[in-house]
Each structure stands twice: as structure tokens, then as C-alpha cells.
Amino acid sequence: MSKAIQPVVLAVIRKEGKYLLTKRVERDPEDSKFHDIWQIPGGGLEWGELIEDAVRREMREELGIEIRIIGLLPKVFEDIRGQLWHGIMLCYLCEMENDESMINLNDEASEYNWFTVDEIRKLPSFTETIKAIDLAETIA
């Protein structure tokens, strides 16, 4: 297996002071410790894809919704998970295009919910999740 750095786009979706998180489904036994972790929805950037197009595509694929991008959070996040994965994460503050849209999860998540910042701090999640949410809180 060749090692590569994976560019990842994440959508920090905010609505009425709460943030949308999904509960991760991890099928790879080597990454089982990441199963049932709450996370910001998103995924890998594909070759030749514009970054903001990737954010929109990922939200259509993972949540079945259209989003409006407010802006790029002013920090690049990075995570190295063992010897298998090294990700560089670009996080975008977003809103749902239509607040009444139904969220339809794909097979990458078992559930979703809207959480306050205080609630997120108590969830099992990636370190970058709360860091990104905290940064989003500084943006009006």
C-alpha cells in the first residue's frame, strides 16, 4: 500500500445555533476504533475536482442535501491515524439551502443529529471536530 496525504473537505453545517454531525460507520477492522464516532460530514477531494464542488458533492452523497457555502474556516486541520491515513482537512462553514430538506444518510453514517457546542464537547468525536466547531463559533 502506497502512502499518500489525502485532501479532505468537511462541511460545518450550522442551523439555529446547532451543528450537524453524523455518527461514523467504520467497516475496516483496522479502523474499528473510529466506529460510532461523531464527526463533521465530508470526504475526499477527487482528482480534477474544485474544492467547493467537492463539499457540495459530499453533502449530496452523504446527506442528500444541497448546501450554501458561507466561507472557508481560517485554519487547515491535519490528522494522522496510525500508519494508514494522513489527512489534510479544509473545513467550510455552511448552511442547508432549504432548512426543511430531509436528511437521507448514505451507508457511511448510522445516524445524524443537531448539537450545541456544549453537547458536542461531551460526544465521542475526533479532536478536529470540536476545534472546527469552536472556530466556526467565531464567525457570525
XYZ file of all heavy atoms in Angstrom, residues 32-89:
478
model
N -11.492 0.046 13.393
C -12.717 -0.157 14.166
C -12.860 0.825 15.331
O -13.963 1.112 15.767
C -12.807 -1.595 14.668
O -11.734 -1.870 15.545
N -11.752 1.359 15.825
C -11.843 2.322 16.935
C -12.532 3.621 16.517
O -12.925 4.414 17.363
C -10.457 2.599 17.517
C -9.508 3.274 16.561
C -8.139 3.412 17.186
C -7.152 3.872 16.121
N -5.810 3.494 16.442
N -12.680 3.831 15.215
C -13.362 5.030 14.729
C -14.855 4.799 14.486
O -15.564 5.717 14.078
C -12.690 5.543 13.451
C -11.235 5.844 13.634
C -10.283 5.225 12.841
C -10.800 6.733 14.600
C -8.929 5.484 13.004
C -9.449 7.004 14.780
C -8.516 6.376 13.978
N -15.326 3.581 14.704
C -16.750 3.268 14.529
C -17.550 3.990 15.621
O -17.135 4.047 16.775
C -16.962 1.752 14.616
C -18.368 1.328 14.375
N -18.947 1.418 13.123
C -19.319 0.850 15.210
C -20.197 0.983 13.205
N -20.437 0.638 14.457
N -18.692 4.527 15.263
C -19.597 5.237 16.178
C -19.018 6.534 16.736
O -19.471 7.029 17.766
C -20.060 4.332 17.324
C -21.121 3.345 16.884
O -21.708 3.531 15.796
O -21.382 2.384 17.631
N -18.046 7.104 16.052
C -17.502 8.406 16.425
C -18.327 9.478 15.708
O -18.623 9.358 14.517
C -16.015 8.526 15.999
C -15.158 7.520 16.740
C -15.499 9.944 16.178
C -14.941 7.804 18.188
N -18.706 10.521 16.440
C -19.428 11.636 15.821
C -18.435 12.502 15.063
O -17.338 12.779 15.551
C -20.161 12.443 16.885
C -21.342 11.710 17.418
C -21.370 10.938 18.540
C -22.644 11.655 16.853
N -22.626 10.407 18.705
C -23.437 10.833 17.687
C -23.231 12.212 15.725
C -24.771 10.570 17.421
C -24.565 11.957 15.458
C -25.317 11.148 16.299
N -18.831 12.912 13.871
C -17.913 13.658 13.010
C -18.652 14.689 12.167
O -19.869 14.633 11.997
C -17.165 12.694 12.094
C -18.081 11.969 11.131
C -17.344 10.957 10.271
O -16.156 10.734 10.427
N -18.054 10.349 9.354
N -17.868 15.607 11.634
C -18.379 16.570 10.660
C -18.446 15.840 9.325
O -17.487 15.179 8.932
C -17.429 17.778 10.574
C -17.365 18.505 11.924
C -17.871 18.727 9.458
C -16.243 19.513 12.022
N -19.573 15.934 8.612
C -19.668 15.221 7.334
C -18.711 15.791 6.287
O -18.455 16.987 6.253
C -21.128 15.411 6.921
C -21.612 16.591 7.685
C -20.793 16.672 8.939
N -18.214 14.897 5.456
C -17.307 15.305 4.396
C -16.611 14.100 3.804
O -16.949 12.960 4.103
N -15.615 14.370 2.985
C -14.908 13.268 2.352
C -13.774 13.759 1.486
O -13.444 14.944 1.455
N -13.208 12.824 0.762
C -12.027 13.087 -0.033
C -12.279 13.895 -1.293
O -13.295 13.732 -1.963
N -11.317 14.746 -1.593
C -11.312 15.509 -2.829
C -10.902 14.573 -3.960
O -9.961 13.795 -3.821
C -10.304 16.659 -2.694
C -10.154 17.616 -3.864
C -11.419 18.426 -4.074
C -8.972 18.553 -3.594
N -11.632 14.625 -5.064
C -11.321 13.767 -6.209
C -10.453 14.528 -7.204
O -10.494 15.752 -7.288
C -12.622 13.301 -6.872
C -13.452 12.415 -5.962
C -14.770 11.978 -6.571
O -15.098 12.400 -7.710
O -15.480 11.219 -5.896
N -9.654 13.768 -7.957
C -8.768 14.352 -8.953
C -9.559 15.239 -9.914
O -10.598 14.837 -10.434
C -8.052 13.244 -9.730
C -7.205 13.781 -10.831
C -7.491 13.798 -12.156
C -5.938 14.423 -10.684
N -6.485 14.396 -12.858
C -5.509 14.803 -11.973
C -5.133 14.723 -9.590
C -4.302 15.455 -12.195
C -3.932 15.371 -9.823
C -3.534 15.731 -11.109
N -9.085 16.458 -10.124
C -9.692 17.382 -11.076
C -10.931 18.095 -10.550
O -11.544 18.866 -11.284
N -11.279 17.872 -9.311
C -12.496 18.460 -8.733
C -12.139 19.756 -8.004
O -11.174 19.810 -7.244
C -13.098 17.451 -7.757
C -14.426 17.845 -7.167
C -15.012 16.737 -6.307
O -14.255 16.073 -5.567
O -16.232 16.552 -6.368
N -12.942 20.790 -8.226
C -12.760 22.027 -7.479
C -13.188 21.785 -6.030
O -14.131 21.029 -5.760
C -13.586 23.152 -8.097
C -13.199 23.537 -9.527
C -14.167 24.568 -10.074
C -11.768 24.055 -9.571
N -12.502 22.420 -5.095
C -12.713 22.145 -3.669
C -14.154 22.401 -3.248
O -14.776 21.559 -2.589
C -11.714 22.948 -2.821
C -10.294 22.473 -3.119
C -12.022 22.800 -1.335
C -9.210 23.350 -2.525
N -14.717 23.539 -3.588
C -16.100 23.828 -3.174
C -17.095 22.897 -3.861
O -18.123 22.550 -3.275
C -16.440 25.298 -3.409
C -15.695 26.203 -2.434
C -16.129 27.651 -2.480
O -17.094 27.991 -3.213
O -15.499 28.459 -1.766
N -16.794 22.464 -5.074
C -17.651 21.473 -5.730
C -17.619 20.154 -4.959
O -18.629 19.464 -4.847
C -17.200 21.236 -7.170
C -17.483 22.419 -8.080
O -18.267 23.312 -7.697
O -16.902 22.452 -9.188
N -16.457 19.815 -4.412
C -16.326 18.584 -3.629
C -17.166 18.653 -2.355
O -17.804 17.664 -1.973
C -14.863 18.329 -3.280
N -17.184 19.805 -1.700
C -18.010 19.965 -0.491
C -19.477 19.740 -0.841
O -20.185 18.985 -0.157
C -17.818 21.367 0.143
C -18.725 21.548 1.351
C -16.373 21.595 0.542
N -19.935 20.354 -1.906
C -21.338 20.197 -2.318
C -21.648 18.746 -2.694
O -22.684 18.205 -2.323
C -21.649 21.133 -3.484
C -21.662 22.590 -3.097
C -22.051 23.485 -4.287
N -21.943 24.869 -3.925
C -20.841 25.619 -4.120
N -19.772 25.113 -4.703
N -20.821 26.884 -3.756
N -20.739 18.101 -3.436
C -20.940 16.705 -3.836
C -21.019 15.805 -2.613
O -21.898 14.954 -2.513
C -19.790 16.246 -4.748
C -19.852 14.739 -5.082
C -18.631 14.251 -5.831
N -17.363 14.565 -5.218
C -16.830 13.936 -4.160
N -17.484 12.932 -3.581
N -15.649 14.290 -3.683
N -20.103 15.981 -1.686
C -20.097 15.142 -0.490
C -21.401 15.278 0.295
O -21.922 14.297 0.817
C -18.887 15.467 0.396
C -17.581 14.913 -0.123
C -17.480 13.402 -0.015
O -18.222 12.780 0.763
O -16.628 12.825 -0.721
N -21.957 16.471 0.375
C -23.208 16.653 1.121
C -24.393 16.017 0.388
O -25.292 15.470 1.015
C -23.471 18.133 1.403
C -22.444 18.773 2.340
S -22.079 17.832 3.845
C -20.553 16.993 3.414
N -24.355 16.055 -0.942
C -25.394 15.352 -1.708
C -25.267 13.851 -1.491
O -26.265 13.156 -1.276
C -25.289 15.689 -3.196
C -25.862 17.045 -3.552
C -25.997 17.242 -5.058
N -24.718 17.198 -5.755
C -23.906 18.242 -5.943
N -24.240 19.423 -5.477
N -22.782 18.103 -6.594
N -24.024 13.323 -1.541
C -23.807 11.880 -1.397
C -24.100 11.383 0.019
O -24.750 10.363 0.198
C -22.356 11.524 -1.753
C -22.031 11.644 -3.210
C -20.554 11.374 -3.511
O -19.777 11.041 -2.592
O -20.194 11.514 -4.693
N -23.591 12.095 1.030
C -23.699 11.611 2.406
C -25.005 11.962 3.090
O -25.480 11.200 3.937
C -22.541 12.156 3.246
C -21.209 11.571 2.858
C -20.100 11.943 3.827
O -20.395 12.397 4.956
O -18.934 11.765 3.446
N -25.582 13.124 2.741
C -26.764 13.615 3.448
C -27.988 13.798 2.556
O -29.088 13.998 3.063
C -26.453 14.946 4.142
C -25.248 14.971 5.084
C -24.992 16.383 5.565
C -25.461 14.028 6.249
N -27.774 13.798 1.255
C -28.887 14.016 0.335
C -29.417 15.439 0.354
O -30.591 15.670 0.081
N -28.555 16.412 0.667
C -28.992 17.808 0.749
C -28.105 18.711 -0.103
O -26.977 18.364 -0.444
C -28.994 18.342 2.198
C -27.568 18.323 2.783
C -29.981 17.569 3.065
C -27.436 19.068 4.102
N -28.645 19.874 -0.404
C -27.880 20.939 -1.045
C -27.486 21.928 0.038
O -28.256 22.172 0.984
C -28.713 21.644 -2.118
C -29.121 20.747 -3.270
C -27.942 20.225 -4.089
O -26.926 20.944 -4.217
O -28.044 19.093 -4.604
N -26.294 22.472 -0.085
C -25.803 23.423 0.907
C -25.430 24.743 0.257
O -25.199 24.824 -0.949
C -24.575 22.865 1.656
C -23.470 22.494 0.656
C -24.959 21.708 2.563
C -22.107 22.396 1.259
N -25.349 25.760 1.102
C -24.838 27.069 0.712
C -23.551 27.262 1.515
O -23.553 27.150 2.749
C -25.852 28.158 1.055
C -25.442 29.557 0.765
C -26.525 30.609 1.017
N -27.446 30.342 2.109
C -28.669 29.780 1.998
N -29.118 29.402 0.813
N -29.437 29.596 3.043
N -22.460 27.500 0.839
C -21.174 27.700 1.498
C -21.070 29.149 1.948
O -21.214 30.070 1.152
C -20.012 27.324 0.564
C -20.038 25.819 0.273
C -18.674 27.737 1.179
C -19.017 25.348 -0.739
N -20.819 29.332 3.242
C -20.646 30.674 3.793
C -19.190 31.097 3.649
O -18.901 32.218 3.251
C -21.083 30.717 5.269
C -22.585 30.420 5.357
C -20.752 32.061 5.910
C -23.091 30.168 6.751
N -18.277 30.192 3.971
C -16.872 30.521 3.819
C -15.968 29.446 4.375
O -16.387 28.569 5.131
N -14.722 29.533 4.010
C -13.685 28.609 4.462
C -13.269 28.994 5.875
O -12.989 30.165 6.150
C -12.483 28.691 3.520
C -11.258 27.846 3.847
C -11.587 26.353 3.736
C -10.117 28.214 2.901
N -13.236 28.019 6.788
C -12.722 28.310 8.122
C -11.229 28.625 7.991
O -10.516 27.953 7.232
C -12.926 27.126 9.060
C -14.380 26.761 9.389
C -14.417 25.639 10.428
C -15.172 27.953 9.884
N -10.742 29.621 8.721
C -9.363 30.091 8.520
C -8.296 29.239 9.215
O -7.424 29.758 9.903
C -9.410 31.511 9.090
C -10.455 31.448 10.145
C -11.495 30.485 9.627
N -8.370 27.940 9.038
C -7.351 27.032 9.564
C -7.407 25.738 8.765
O -8.481 25.245 8.453
C -7.597 26.733 11.036
C -6.583 25.769 11.636
C -6.767 25.634 13.131
C -5.888 24.615 13.782
N -4.530 24.527 13.390
N -6.256 25.202 8.447
C -6.172 23.884 7.822
C -5.921 22.891 8.942
O -5.007 23.076 9.751
C -5.034 23.825 6.782
C -4.884 22.414 6.234
C -5.302 24.821 5.651
N -6.749 21.857 9.013
C -6.611 20.835 10.044
C -5.880 19.633 9.457
O -5.928 19.383 8.255
C -7.990 20.414 10.564
C -8.696 21.521 11.290
C -9.526 22.396 10.613
C -8.516 21.696 12.648
C -10.177 23.426 11.273
C -9.149 22.722 13.322
C -9.985 23.595 12.638
N -5.231 18.890 10.334
C -4.457 17.739 9.900
C -4.632 16.623 10.926
O -4.725 16.869 12.124
C -2.986 18.138 9.817
C -2.052 17.039 9.424
C -0.624 17.546 9.308
O -0.209 18.402 10.114
O 0.073 17.070 8.410
N -4.697 15.391 10.447
C -4.785 14.246 11.346
C -4.007 13.087 10.735
O -4.071 12.858 9.529
C -6.245 13.840 11.564
C -6.425 12.878 12.718
O -5.481 12.688 13.511
O -7.515 12.304 12.829
N -3.278 12.397 11.574
C -2.564 11.184 11.167
C -3.106 10.063 12.037
O -3.043 10.134 13.262
C -1.044 11.333 11.344
C -0.529 12.490 10.491
C -0.342 10.029 10.996
C 0.912 12.867 10.746
N -3.685 9.070 11.395
C -4.295 7.949 12.117
C -3.440 6.712 11.897
O -3.589 6.011 10.893
C -5.728 7.732 11.645
C -6.590 8.952 11.922
C -8.006 8.797 11.468
N -8.685 10.087 11.581
C -9.745 10.430 10.894
N -10.284 9.580 10.040
N -10.291 11.612 11.055
N -2.544 6.479 12.838
C -1.657 5.327 12.731
C -0.762 5.425 11.517
O -0.325 6.499 11.130
N -0.506 4.280 10.919
C 0.351 4.201 9.732
C -0.458 4.198 8.442
O 0.098 4.082 7.363
C 1.196 2.931 9.792
C 2.170 2.912 10.954
C 3.213 4.019 10.841
O 3.799 4.233 9.789
N 3.430 4.737 11.935
N -1.793 4.302 8.553
C -2.654 4.088 7.389
C -3.203 5.349 6.743
O -3.547 5.331 5.567
C -3.824 3.181 7.784
C -3.440 1.804 8.320
C -4.679 1.060 8.763
C -2.691 1.018 7.260
N -3.353 6.426 7.505
C -4.060 7.571 6.941
C -3.476 8.874 7.446
O -3.234 9.047 8.644
C -5.538 7.485 7.309
C -6.406 8.461 6.593
C -6.919 8.317 5.329
C -6.884 9.717 7.073
N -7.676 9.423 5.005
C -7.667 10.291 6.069
C -6.707 10.411 8.261
C -8.281 11.520 6.207
C -7.327 11.642 8.407
C -8.106 12.182 7.381
N -3.269 9.802 6.517
C -2.810 11.153 6.823
C -3.693 12.099 6.022
O -3.658 12.100 4.798
C -1.343 11.305 6.422
C -0.762 12.634 6.760
N 0.574 12.901 6.592
C -1.299 13.776 7.253
C 0.833 14.147 6.963
N -0.294 14.698 7.362
N -4.516 12.860 6.728
C -5.454 13.751 6.052
C -5.189 15.217 6.332
O -4.801 15.600 7.435
N -5.384 16.014 5.313
C -5.368 17.472 5.409
C -6.805 17.909 5.182
O -7.399 17.602 4.143
C -4.458 18.098 4.323
C -3.034 17.571 4.432
C -4.522 19.620 4.377
C -2.310 17.969 5.675
N -7.395 18.606 6.168
C -8.819 18.915 6.122
C -9.087 20.399 5.939
O -8.582 21.232 6.697
C -9.482 18.410 7.401
C -9.497 16.891 7.472
S -9.747 16.293 9.138
C -8.068 16.249 9.701
